[in-house]
Amino acid sequence: MSGLIRNIWDAANQEVMLTEKDGLKGAEKSCLFVGGKSSGKTTVMLKFLSREDSAKPTTALEYTFARRATNLQHKLTGHIWELGGGTNLRKLVDIPLTLDTLQRMTVLLFLDLSEPNKLWFTAETLLRAMRERLDVVLKTGNKQNPGFQQLMNKAAWERIGGKDRNDANSINPFPVPLFIIGSKFDLYQDMDSDKKKVITKCMRFLAHSNGATAMYVSSKVDTTMRGFKHIMNVSVFDGQLNKSPIIDSTRPLYIPCGMDSMDAIGKAPLASSDIGRITSKNPSETWKIAFCGHFPQDGDVKQADIPDPAKDAQFREPKIDELRAQKDKELEAYKRQESHKWADKIA
């Protein structure tokens, strides 16, 4: 029996040594899919996972995983989170973006190229929500381990080649690796060439100013799916990012983080009617005005106008809804009772 125990521990120790030697210790990585409603997130994810399931609307926040065997008889596991509801459920990013996942997390932001009238609002809203969450996580990590926030910031700059760039003042690198993905490239191809130029220039700015990789993808175009599978292998299996950019109007865009520049992107494509509106020296504001001047944003509405996700048909649960309705009635009755009390006191 003791010989068996020694053999078990010897085997376990050998596997740990091999794992450490190969750089795979603690190698479980996570990635978070976010983006607009029906932007194609689920479809391309299922293709990456080689699943034949038909894509269904994502319910709130969903989790799945991918596995790949290594030559060390070791299986790598990649954790995949997908946020549904477009921008409405953005607070749910708090669940996957934690201190435990931060150093092994990648974010994939999907922006529907075929709906430019929602593109900028979606990008701005989700990027802001994730930055706010990551700021909280970084500060928490810094309290536990002073210098942690500085270390993460340094790593973010190193991903794009460091701070010694001519355009460094125009870049605010995202705290974790970020891919900004223009989806439905097949529909984008049929758009007017002038519109495509505006969209692509602004997509490049969004990616470069956030220290992100930019790429176009379509579940119906095989070449783009090969590119998407590549970035997923980078995101969840520690693959090495292809650093060869593709900037050609006849081919799907692919620009690795740090490989673009503000000079190469050029000036913001301002409409003639917007030139006089520029008062801020903030490049992001200038580019926002430029993009929205060509494509007024449907999503730029007051928060009160956004539908309540609790009333969305895809989240319907009869028993829970019935209890919720009862509690709402009790709350309204309580409010009326308290209101009467205050009225009596004032009288």
Side-chain angles (χ1 to χ4, degrees):
M1 183 69 178
S2 60
L4 176 61
I5 292 174
R6 280 199 300 272
N7 287 339
I8 290 173
W9 282 109
D10 287 345
N13 184 56
Q14 185 179 13
E15 183 173 346
V16 168
M17 291 175 66
L18 287 170
T19 298
E20 290 178 347
K21 183 179 178 181
D22 201 51
L24 296 174
K25 185 177 182 180
E28 290 194 355
K29 297 186 69 177
S30 299
C31 71
L32 171 62
F33 283 49
V34 298
K37 289 182 181 179
S38 303
S39 56
K41 303 183 296 296
T42 305
T43 301
V44 294
M45 181 182 68
L46 291 174
K47 280 185 172 286
F48 167 70
L49 297 171
S50 300
R51 294 183 186 171
E52 299 298 327
D53 318 34
S54 57
K56 298 177 181 177
T58 303
T59 303
L61 182 69
E62 296 187 0
Y63 167 81
T64 188
F65 62 90
R67 280 197 178 138
R68 188 179 74 181
T70 72
N71 56 2
L72 298 173
Q73 297 181 337
H74 178 89
K75 284 189 177 181
L76 292 177
T77 300
H79 305 280
I80 303 172
W81 297 86
E82 183 184 2
L83 178 69
T87 59
N88 291 347
L89 305 178
R90 56 189 176 275
K91 278 298 294 177
L92 293 180
V93 300
D94 291 7
I95 296 171
L97 298 180
T98 67
L99 192 56
D100 290 335
T101 65
L102 189 65
Q103 291 178 283
R104 307 289 291 173
M105 173 64 73
T106 297
V107 172
L108 282 70
L109 170 60
F110 284 74
L111 301 174
D112 189 339
L113 297 172
S114 70
E115 293 193 330
N117 294 91
K118 298 178 181 178
L119 190 152
W120 196 277
F121 174 76
T122 299
E124 185 177 51
T125 304
L126 291 174
L127 285 171
R128 185 190 302 119
M130 290 187 291
R131 280 189 180 275
E132 288 173 355
R133 170 57 181 173
L134 289 170
D135 186 52
V136 171
V137 175
L138 286 169
K139 287 178 179 177
T140 301
N142 212 54
K143 287 180 181 178
Q144 298 179 12
N145 183 12
F148 175 74
Q149 195 165 3
Q150 183 179 0
L151 185 67
M152 291 294 293
N153 185 52
K154 181 182 177 183
W157 276 105
E158 286 177 350
R159 279 194 295 273
I160 59 173
K163 292 185 177 182
D164 298 330
R165 305 177 54 99
N166 293 332
D167 55 3
N169 290 337
S170 300
I171 302 172
N172 181 15
F174 204 68
V176 300
L178 172 66
F179 290 86
I180 295 184
I181 300 173
S183 59
K184 301 187 181 179
F185 173 71
D186 56 312
L187 299 178
Y188 163 87
Q189 284 182 300
D190 297 330
M191 294 174 66
D192 176 80
S193 61
D194 288 337
K195 290 183 178 181
K196 289 195 291 186
K197 287 178 183 177
V198 172
I199 292 171
T200 292
K201 286 193 73 168
C202 291
M203 284 286 289
R204 288 175 65 182
F205 172 79
L206 276 173
H208 187 60
S209 62
N210 284 283
T213 293
M215 74 174 300
Y216 287 171
V217 69
S218 168
S219 61
K220 298 177 181 178
V221 180
D222 290 342
T223 54
T224 68
M225 283 307 303
R226 286 196 291 271
F228 180 73
K229 289 178 180 179
H230 163 69
I231 68 162
M232 283 300 294
N233 283 325
V234 172
S235 300
V236 296
F237 295 135
D238 264 340
Q240 294 298 310
L241 185 66
N242 177 1
K243 287 290 187 177
S244 300
I246 299 174
I247 308 174
D248 182 338
S249 59
T250 64
R251 300 173 65 189
L253 183 72
Y254 174 72
I255 308 180
C257 58
M259 301 301 289
D260 212 341
S261 71
M262 291 302 176
D263 286 342
I265 296 170
K267 294 181 179 179
L270 287 163
S272 56
S273 58
D274 289 328
I275 294 175
R277 295 177 54 201
I278 305 301
T279 57
S280 172
K281 293 183 179 180
N282 184 345
S284 294
E285 285 302 313
T286 300
W287 281 83
K288 177 180 179 178
I289 290 172
F291 189 84
C292 298
H294 292 278
F295 306 104
Q297 298 297 284
D298 295 338
D300 197 6
V301 295
K302 295 180 180 178
Q303 187 68 29
D305 295 331
I306 297 176
D308 183 355
K311 298 177 182 177
D312 194 318
Q314 69 170 313
F315 306 134
R316 188 171 294 157
E317 291 285 350
K319 292 183 179 179
I320 295 175
D321 292 342
E322 185 178 338
L323 289 171
R324 169 65 185 269
Q326 179 61 36
K327 291 297 180 182
D328 285 343
K329 289 181 181 178
E330 292 175 6
L331 177 61
E332 289 303 318
Y334 176 76
K335 286 180 179 179
R336 287 194 297 271
Q337 182 180 350
E338 290 299 304
S339 178
H340 293 320
K341 285 182 181 179
W342 278 103
D344 291 341
K345 287 180 180 180
I346 294 172

